[in-house]
């Protein structure tokens, strides 16, 4: 067999690069299917983001999620906010959920997943990915979410758990401030807004939730741990779960998150290396 020439190697490497680029374009088209096809689609971010953010109240989800959203052009779906929005808009799903809640029942997994699917299909901010916050809370919900994404030919990339000792959460929670419209969170001591009681971005008033007190927090944490442990175990088995020390200051937590996302990117690069190795172009 004649030796492979350098120009042949370069040509094959170029072909692999073009194939990777084409795959990214096709993934972007799949996510934007159903929109108008006549206009030129904006270029998708190099790395899409499909993740869930797990953590107890006060762990910092409200601080980190907006940063992930901005960097990766993904939508932030806090399921509690999403549910309240659907009810306020009086959508069919919202009316169905309100009827159940008014009777003192829990909104079914099916309705919650349908709400998420509705956002992914119709919310332009979800075109290049999503951050799920507050869902899934049970293994059954996780399985239903995986099935919905599988039907869309997608899968979760990350299940990140923000871990922090319960004792540290009391001081965090009792000083927490929230911007209701965006979900951005601040802290009177650890992460104060630039102007007292005003959101840094919009200047709108911040609020302190009535249930942000030590007694209520202990009950919420007990429920959280009971619900979350099986979900964490589920994602540990799938290989996408990553823990992050949320007791660090917010900047360090952000760096830890970026490291997790970079690991996934490196894994994708390894796929290309493996392909080149198989055809004898990389040692």
């Amino acid at each position: 067999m004649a030796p492979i020439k350098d120009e042949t190697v370069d040509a094959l490497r170029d072909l692999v690069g073009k194939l990777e680029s084409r795959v990214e374009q096709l993934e972007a088209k799949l996510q934007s299917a159903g929109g108008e096809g006549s206009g030129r689609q904006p270029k998708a971010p190099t790395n899409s983001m499909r993740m869930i953010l797990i953590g107890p109240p006060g762990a910092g989800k409200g601080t980190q999620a907006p940063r992930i959203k901005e960097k990766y052009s993904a939508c932030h779906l806090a399921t509690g906010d999403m549910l309240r929005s659907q009810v306020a808009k009086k959508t069919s799903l919202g009316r169905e959920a309100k009827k159940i809640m008014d009777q003192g029942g829990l909104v079914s997994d099916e309705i919650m997943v349908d709400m998420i699917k509705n956002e992914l299909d119709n919310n332009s901010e979800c075109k290049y990915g999503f951050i799920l916050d507050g869902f899934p809370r049970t293994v059954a919900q996780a399985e239903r979410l995986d099935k919905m994404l599988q039907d869309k030919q997608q899968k979760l990339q990350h299940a990140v758990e923000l871990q922090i000792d319960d004792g540290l959460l009391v001081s965090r929670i009792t000083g927490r401030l929230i911007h209701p419209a965006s979900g951005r969170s601040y802290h009177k001591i650890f992460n104060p807004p630039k102007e007292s009681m005003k959101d840094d971005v919009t200047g709108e008033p911040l609020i302190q939730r009535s249930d942000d007190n030590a007694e209520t927090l202990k009950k919420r944490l007990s429920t959280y741990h009971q619900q979350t442990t099986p979900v964490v175990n589920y994602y540990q088995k799938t290989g996408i779960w990553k823990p992050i020390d949320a007791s660090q200051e917010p900047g360090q937590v952000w760096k830890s998150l970026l490291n997790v996302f970079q690991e996934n990117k490196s894994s994708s690069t390894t796929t290309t290396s493996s392909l080149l190795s198989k055809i004898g172009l990389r040692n």
Side-chain angles (χ1 to χ4, degrees), residues 50-56 61 132 135-136 142 146 155-164 224-225 227-246 256-257 259-261 263-264:
R50 296 185 296 276
M51 70 172 292
I52 64 170
L53 198 55
I54 305 168
K61 300 190 300 295
L132 267 179
F135 190 94
D146 280 349
K155 63 180 181 179
L156 282 173
Q157 297 166 312
H158 307 286
V160 177
E161 182 183 8
L162 300 181
Q163 298 180 330
I164 183 170
Y224 167 80
H225 291 306
Q227 291 180 334
T228 305
T229 299
V231 175
V232 167
N233 292 339
Y234 175 84
Y235 286 117
Q236 284 176 329
K237 292 175 183 177
T238 67
I240 65 170
W241 172 84
K242 293 288 184 182
I244 286 181
D245 179 5
S256 298
L257 281 166
N259 287 337
V260 168
F261 303 148
E263 284 178 16
N264 187 69

Side-chain angles (χ1 to χ4, degrees), residues 148-183:
M148 183 270 285
L149 291 173
Q150 183 180 350
D151 291 342
K152 293 170 65 66
Q153 296 183 320
Q154 296 179 350
K155 63 180 181 179
L156 282 173
Q157 297 166 312
H158 307 286
V160 177
E161 182 183 8
L162 300 181
Q163 298 180 330
I164 183 170
D165 185 84
D166 287 0
L168 294 176
L169 289 173
V170 175
S171 58
R172 278 194 177 188
I173 285 288
T174 53
R176 186 167 65 170
L177 303 171
I178 304 291
H179 179 237
S182 69

Side-chain angles (χ1 to χ4, degrees), residues 26 264 282:
L26 289 173
N264 187 69
R282 183 170 292 176

